[in-house]
């Protein structure tokens, strides 16, 4: 029997996704009709993105699963009308993109590149950057993306500390968990990368108290989600020099409003939520595999724990 998959992703990406999803369905041996316009009662699967106009799942009476095209699920996980399994996206293109973005911005701050890139007076100040082995980077969140970034930074020679909800052990990364662990992880890291999901528990993880635990002149890099940081506390820490610079990719309101103080702050770099994007060519196979699994009665990959919120 033909399955109906509703594409409820970003409409401007439909022309990218349609051929890639159809190719992936064929490769998985699935008979799937893909459309952005089905009557709700005939839909078996929803391929979803946070920008989707679908907010009420009640009319989707034969829905089997929602397959999210993003790693973050904060806009859908609490939806009470959703009664079927929800899978988030884990795909190698998304991970690779995040590793490249985080490594690039970490190296910018580690090497002090701005001193040469922004040098209108043509000053000749021959200060050599330190080696990575003398720098600790703290990665908050050791999931798919955080762990991949932590391992890439460790491979470059950085001392890497990581923090997660559950305790972990790793050969090259010093792992912390829990409230006390957060304090210890922050106390050592001169560069802090946030790759936590946005949940009620992670809101304002960086706040006045926790920012004060970091060594003076530290750097903050946030490709996670805007609510992870108390914005007023970060701006205040930037003004006092407690934080030397913040590179921010995600915000409570996106696009970041023109009047937001982050735009004007000389010690803030704003990037427009581009740290890593879901790419049709790498994510389509993950979506197809989850439909195959669901049809075969197997557990879906990357299921969201809706109680934990990620
Ligand atoms: P993930 O695999 O679910 O990992 C989440 C990590 O955060 C896990 O290590 C988890 O701990 C930890 N965590 C969750 N709640 C915590 C808490 N209360 N205290 C301490 N640690 C906690 O997620 P992911 O795939 O790595 O993605 C992380 C986030 O990146 C996404 O949620 C999304 O917001 C963001 N993202 C941004 C972009 C972008 O372009 N800017 C792109 C993709 C994703 P456990 O290991 O113990 O579960």
């Amino acid at each position: 029997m033909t399955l109906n998959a509703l594409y409820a992703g970003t409409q401007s990406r439909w022309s990218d996704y349609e051929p890639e999803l159809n190719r992936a369905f064929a490769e998985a041996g699935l008979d799937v009709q893909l459309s952005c316009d089905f009557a709700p009662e005939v839909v078996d699967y929803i391929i979803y993105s946070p920008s989707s106009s679908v907010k009420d799942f009640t009319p989707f009476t034969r829905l089997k699963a929602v397959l999210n095209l993003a790693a973050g699920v904060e806009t859908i996980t609490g939806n009470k009308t959703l009664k079927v399994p929800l899978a988030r996206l884990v795909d190698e293109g998304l991970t690779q993109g995040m590793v490249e973005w985080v490594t690039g911005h970490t190296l910018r701050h580690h090497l002090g590149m701005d001193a040469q890139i922004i040098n209108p007076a043509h000053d000749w100040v021959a200060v050599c950057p330190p080696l990575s082995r003398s720098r600790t980077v703290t990665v908050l969140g050791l999931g798919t993306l955080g762990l991949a970034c932590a391992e890439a930074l460790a491979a470059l020679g950085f001392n890497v500390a990581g923090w997660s909800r559950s305790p972990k052990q790793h050969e090259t990364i010093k792992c912390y968990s829990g409230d006390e662990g957060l304090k210890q992880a922050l106390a050592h890291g001169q560069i802090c990368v946030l790759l936590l999901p946005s949940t009620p528990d992670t809101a304002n993880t960086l706040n006045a108290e926790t920012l004060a635990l970091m060594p003076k002149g530290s750097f903050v890099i946030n490709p996670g989600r805007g609510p992870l940081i108390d914005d007023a506390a970060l701006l205040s820490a930037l003004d006092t020099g407690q934080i030397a610079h913040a590179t921010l990719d995600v915000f409570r309101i996106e696009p970041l409003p023109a009047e937001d103080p982050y735009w004007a702050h000389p010690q803030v770099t704003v990037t427009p939520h581009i740290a890593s994007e879901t790419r049709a060519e790498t994510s389509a196979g993950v979506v197809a595999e989850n439909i195959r699994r669901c049809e075969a009665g197997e557990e879906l990959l990357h299921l969201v724990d809706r109680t934990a919120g990620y």
Side-chain angles (χ1 to χ4, degrees):
M1 193 185 113
T2 303
L3 300 165
N4 290 331
L6 175 70
Y7 174 83
T10 308
Q11 278 310 309
S12 60
R13 305 286 313 278
W14 168 240
S15 58
D16 298 334
Y17 274 99
E18 186 188 20
E20 293 296 341
L21 284 165
N22 280 323
R23 178 191 52 75
F25 295 147
E27 280 176 14
L30 292 168
D31 178 10
V32 178
Q33 195 184 348
L34 177 69
S35 170
C36 347
D37 191 22
F38 278 122
E41 63 276 10
V42 304
V43 171
D44 298 290
Y45 295 95
I46 299 182
I47 301 164
Y48 193 83
S49 80
S51 64
S52 171
S53 58
V54 177
K55 307 287 178 216
D56 180 7
F57 293 92
T58 320
F60 295 89
T61 46
R62 76 176 206 204
L63 188 63
K64 298 175 189 171
V66 172
L67 310 168
N68 200 42
L69 286 177
V73 290
E74 69 278 6
T75 57
I76 181 174
T77 187
N79 189 321
K80 300 260 186 297
T81 68
L82 180 63
K83 312 278 187 203
V84 296
L86 169 66
R88 65 191 201 91
L89 193 75
V90 172
D91 96 274
E92 55 90 10
L94 189 69
T95 305
Q96 178 66 20
M98 187 59 81
V99 167
E100 292 179 14
W101 189 90
V102 166
T103 306
H105 285 280
T106 299
L107 286 173
R108 169 194 173 191
H109 296 309
H110 166 65
L111 297 173
M113 287 178 174
D114 289 11
Q116 288 83 48
I117 294 171
I118 309 161
N119 186 11
H122 298 176
D123 291 329
W124 187 273
V125 184
V127 179
C128 275
L131 290 177
S132 55
R133 72 176 75 131
S134 61
R135 178 93 66 189
T136 299
V137 182
T138 296
V139 181
L140 303 183
L142 284 176
T144 307
L145 301 179
L147 183 62
C149 292
E151 287 177 340
L153 293 168
L156 283 173
F158 288 102
N159 297 304
V160 182
W163 183 66
S164 55
R165 194 161 67 113
S166 54
K168 296 191 197 306
Q169 288 198 322
H170 192 280
E171 259 181 30
T172 50
I173 296 155
K174 189 146 179 44
C175 298
Y176 297 93
S177 61
D179 290 348
E180 201 46 47
L182 176 63
K183 290 181 188 163
Q184 291 173 29
L186 289 176
H188 301 299
Q190 295 131 305
I191 299 176
C192 177
V193 178
L194 290 102
L195 273 167
L196 296 161
S198 180
T199 71
D201 287 347
T202 61
N204 296 326
T205 296
L206 285 193
N207 53 41
E209 192 188 331
T210 51
L211 285 163
L213 297 170
M214 295 168 66
K216 191 162 176 73
S218 294
F219 301 91
V220 169
I221 300 178
N222 185 16
R225 282 291 183 265
L228 301 177
I229 297 179
D230 175 336
D231 297 314
L234 177 57
L235 286 162
S236 165
L238 285 159
D239 288 341
T240 63
Q242 169 62 15
I243 300 300
H245 196 105
T247 296
L248 308 173
D249 186 56
V250 284
F251 304 90
R252 283 187 159 76
I253 301 173
E254 295 181 8
L256 188 65
E259 64 281 9
D260 193 286
Y262 281 143
W263 280 120
H265 202 290
Q267 300 311 120
V268 174
T269 299
V270 170
T271 65
H273 202 144
I274 44 80
S276 188
E277 72 161 355
T278 305
R279 288 162 172 87
E281 65 272 25
T282 50
S283 58
V286 183
V287 170
E289 169 60 7
N290 258 344
I291 294 181
R292 188 204 64 73
R293 283 175 173 252
C294 199
E295 291 302 309
E298 297 170 23
E299 181 163 296
L300 269 64
L301 297 172
H302 321 306
L303 269 180
V304 173
D305 173 348
R306 294 185 62 194
T307 312
Y310 68 99

